[in-house]
Amino acid sequence: MEYLIGIQGPDFVLVAADTVAASSIIQMKHDYDKMFKLSEKILLLCVGEAGDTVQFAEYIQKNVQLYKMRNGYELSPAAAANFTRKNLADYLRSRTPYHVNLLLAGYDEHDGPALYYMDYLSSLAKAPFAAHGYGAFLTLSILDRYYKPELTREEAVELLKKCVDELNKRFILNLPAFNVRLIDKHGIKDLEKLPLATTSTS
Amino acid sequence: MHSRRFRHTRECRQELIGRHLEHVRVDIEGATSLHSMAGVGRKKDGAREERRGGEFQHGVIVAVDSRATAGSYIASQTVKKVIEINPYLLGTMAGGAADCSFWERLLARQCRIYELRNKERISVAAASKLLANMVYQYKGMGLSMGTMVCGWDKRGPGLYYVDSEGNRVCGDSFSVGSGSVYAYGVLDRGRREDLSVEEACELGRRAIYQATYRDAYSGGVVNLYHVKSDGWVCVSQNDVADLHRKYLDEAK
């Protein structure tokens, strides 16, 4: 039902998430934001079971902020990803595991852009592109086919549009809008929501 | 995704036919399941929803029915499903009656403590977050609660949907309960940017009426509240049968 996608470029990471908050067959909200800002250059995209998503993401968010307050400097994206994974793993075999699927995207001054894929079983993988949800089945092959490691920002947005068009064409559920954000050395930037009115659906 | 969390919805729909009378009495007293249209809360505010353009500017309209059921038995037609948390905050009831009234009463206590500690009224966002965090601790243990926290704080009108699954979303209109799907249809199609207070009240009333028409677990009377900047007022109480006659006559 929910869809997350991330594409890493040479000096940026582009992420997008659908904006539907659903409860069984009803769309409760059409403009729900599934991205959580962990720091100036790290975003956590979180989908999964109701309640678990917000509670877990906010827990990670507050802890990353606390680290910054205590130590005077921020966690790097790699450290934040591993911290998140460790928390997921610790809760996995408890009475209350968190059923959440995550994408963590960030920009580090020394290591550059990074995209991490995490799932509810607390696996962690650094990847050039990644997606979560049923929509991932339809779009991963598009990413495989058209992705190049040195793609520009415009090319990344075009690739994202290809994925969204494919979802609009073949995915049985209606995902009317996507939040799109770009992280680079200047920080997090909101891009235009997709799909655009003029996007073709063929 | 297969969650090991206990699915409470099936539990609430127990068949009572053939059970001993003793058990029936316990069920009603214990956790009467309100599988009925609880609330249609709408809030639109120019200040808060600037990018949506001017929508309903006058606060939050809350409309509820008043039926309580235990299985297919109608336990009561006169339930108060709007809980008055404090003079500027309302909560609606859907799901288990005991769960809703207990937790919202606890929320009222927490809101009052907040006021005493901070010498300031609690915001709708904070009140709904308190409730959401409280029930999240009991996730999977069988609580059944779907509620809308409606109020007016310094940021304007506020409407949040909170349930026992852990959902908490802010929005400008929601519909909760077994008849919610029917109410959504009428509510969504009747919404306009320039609704007056009377028109909005009528829309809420009509949405609940249409839900009671189609849903067996909704009925009784339609209670309507309006949350304004200086607090909530109870606008009207209309029996669904009277509304039915009125709308039928209008259609002729």
Side-chain angles (χ1 to χ4, degrees):
Chain A
M1 322 287 189
E2 301 178 290
Y3 181 69
L4 300 177
I5 183 172
I7 302 173
Q8 182 207 318
D11 59 348
F12 67 90
V13 190
L14 182 72
V15 287
D18 75 294
T19 56
V20 169
S23 179
S24 91
I25 59 165
I26 299 287
Q27 279 187 28
M28 303 230 69
K29 208 164 146 68
H30 319 280
D31 53 359
Y32 185 72
D33 192 2
K34 300 179 188 180
M35 305 194 194
F36 295 83
K37 188 171 139 176
L38 297 190
S39 75
E40 287 309 311
K41 295 182 188 163
I42 307 180
L43 270 180
L44 182 68
L45 283 69
C46 191
V47 292
E49 188 159 332
D52 286 357
T53 48
V54 173
Q55 294 282 345
F56 183 74
E58 285 189 352
Y59 175 70
I60 300 295
Q61 195 180 43
K62 304 312 165 200
N63 273 291
V64 170
Q65 291 297 314
L66 182 62
Y67 186 96
K68 182 180 170 186
M69 281 180 221
R70 278 186 177 151
N71 302 289
Y73 58 90
E74 291 183 337
L75 275 173
S76 68
N82 279 288
F83 170 71
T84 307
R85 190 214 73 84
K86 182 78 167 59
N87 265 293
L88 266 177
D90 288 340
Y91 279 100
L92 184 61
R93 290 196 165 95
S94 72
R95 279 187 319 107
T96 57
Y98 286 105
H99 201 292
V100 293
N101 293 314
L102 310 164
L103 284 183
L104 192 143
Y107 187 90
D108 189 34
E109 274 169 23
H110 304 289
D111 302 324
L115 176 67
Y116 291 90
Y117 170 100
M118 267 175 277
D119 75 1
Y120 70 101
L121 295 169
S122 109
S123 56
L124 172 69
K126 186 173 187 307
F129 54 83
H132 272 299
Y134 286 120
F137 285 100
L138 292 163
T139 52
L140 278 173
S141 53
I142 299 175
L143 291 165
D144 284 328
R145 163 71 179 84
Y146 292 104
Y147 176 82
K148 329 189 286 280
E150 345 70 53
L151 85 178
T152 65
R153 283 166 174 69
E154 293 72 29
E155 284 170 347
V157 173
E158 279 311 307
L159 184 50
L160 183 61
K161 280 192 191 145
K162 278 199 176 73
C163 293
V164 168
D165 284 348
E166 181 61 16
L167 288 180
N168 285 330
K169 181 168 190 215
R170 290 289 186 187
F171 191 38
I172 202 177
L173 295 182
N174 183 34
L175 294 175
F178 293 82
N179 259 342
V180 185
R181 292 201 166 103
L182 184 98
I183 311 178
D184 61 8
K185 67 174 194 264
H186 301 296
I188 301 171
K189 184 173 166 214
D190 271 1
L191 296 183
E192 218 176 69
K193 282 191 176 25
L194 289 177
L196 304 171
T198 50
T199 305
S200 72
T201 53
S202 59
Chain B
M1 182 270 288
H2 191 69
S3 170
R4 274 170 286 144
R5 308 243 189 243
F6 170 54
R7 296 254 173 236
H8 53 267
T9 46
R10 249 177 267 137
E11 185 63 28
C12 298
R13 288 192 185 269
Q14 277 172 19
E15 272 299 332
L16 292 176
I17 297 167
R19 285 201 176 188
H20 193 270
L21 202 60
E22 240 49 277
H23 285 278
V24 172
R25 230 177 282 137
V26 167
D27 275 336
I28 292 173
E29 277 168 6
T32 304
S33 207
L34 294 174
H35 280 281
S36 39
M37 180 61 238
V40 172
R42 266 175 333 102
K43 155 249 148 186
K44 287 147 209 169
D45 165 46
R48 186 107 57 112
E49 304 274 333
E50 261 156 21
R51 48 199 164 83
R52 290 170 151 261
E55 295 196 29
F56 185 61
Q57 313 274 347
H58 310 289
V60 193
I61 303 290
V62 184
V64 297
D65 78 321
S66 66
R67 179 173 287 185
T69 54
S72 56
Y73 171 68
I74 296 176
S76 168
Q77 293 269 66
T78 54
V79 177
K80 294 274 310 286
K81 293 193 189 178
V82 173
I83 293 155
E84 294 149 11
I85 297 171
N86 63 40
Y88 57 94
L89 267 183
L90 290 176
T92 62
M93 234 209 266
D99 288 337
C100 289
S101 48
F102 176 82
W103 289 103
E104 294 194 16
R105 208 166 138 74
L106 207 52
L107 176 64
R109 176 182 164 275
Q110 284 301 117
C111 291
R112 179 72 184 126
I113 291 174
Y114 179 100
E115 258 178 42
L116 289 167
R117 283 183 177 149
N118 301 285
K119 287 194 173 176
E120 189 186 58
R121 278 185 184 174
I122 191 171
S123 66
V124 188
S128 61
K129 191 78 176 171
L130 279 175
L131 183 62
N133 287 339
M134 279 194 285
V135 296
Y136 183 72
Q137 311 252 341
Y138 295 87
K139 186 173 158 99
M141 297 187 202
L143 286 187
S144 170
M145 184 196 82
T147 184
M148 292 183 292
V149 180
C150 331
W152 193 304
D153 57 32
K154 62 183 178 207
R155 284 189 287 169
L159 177 61
Y160 284 81
Y161 165 75
V162 178
D163 72 16
S164 47
E165 294 284 297
N167 279 316
R168 173 181 168 267
V169 275
C170 175
D172 51 46
S173 68
F174 291 111
S175 170
V176 188
S178 61
S180 65
V181 283
Y182 307 111
Y184 261 127
V186 174
L187 187 61
D188 286 335
R189 290 306 113 208
R191 275 168 69 183
R192 274 187 350 257
E193 283 198 5
D194 53 346
L195 283 173
S196 70
V197 176
E198 294 72 35
E199 286 172 332
C201 289
E202 185 50 35
L203 183 59
R205 208 175 284 128
R206 191 73 195 238
I208 299 289
Y209 161 74
Q210 296 294 153
T212 59
Y213 186 71
R214 282 287 179 182
D215 179 34
Y217 297 103
S218 306
V221 299
V222 181
N223 282 311
L224 214 105
Y225 286 72
H226 178 200
V227 187
K228 299 197 269 215
S229 55
D230 52 353
W232 54 261
V233 287
C234 185
V235 171
S236 66
Q237 191 184 67
N238 300 96
D239 191 307
V240 158
D242 297 335
L243 288 176
H244 177 73
R245 255 170 258 130
K246 173 177 154 210
Y247 294 135
L248 211 58
D249 289 337
E250 277 171 15
K252 286 195 190 129

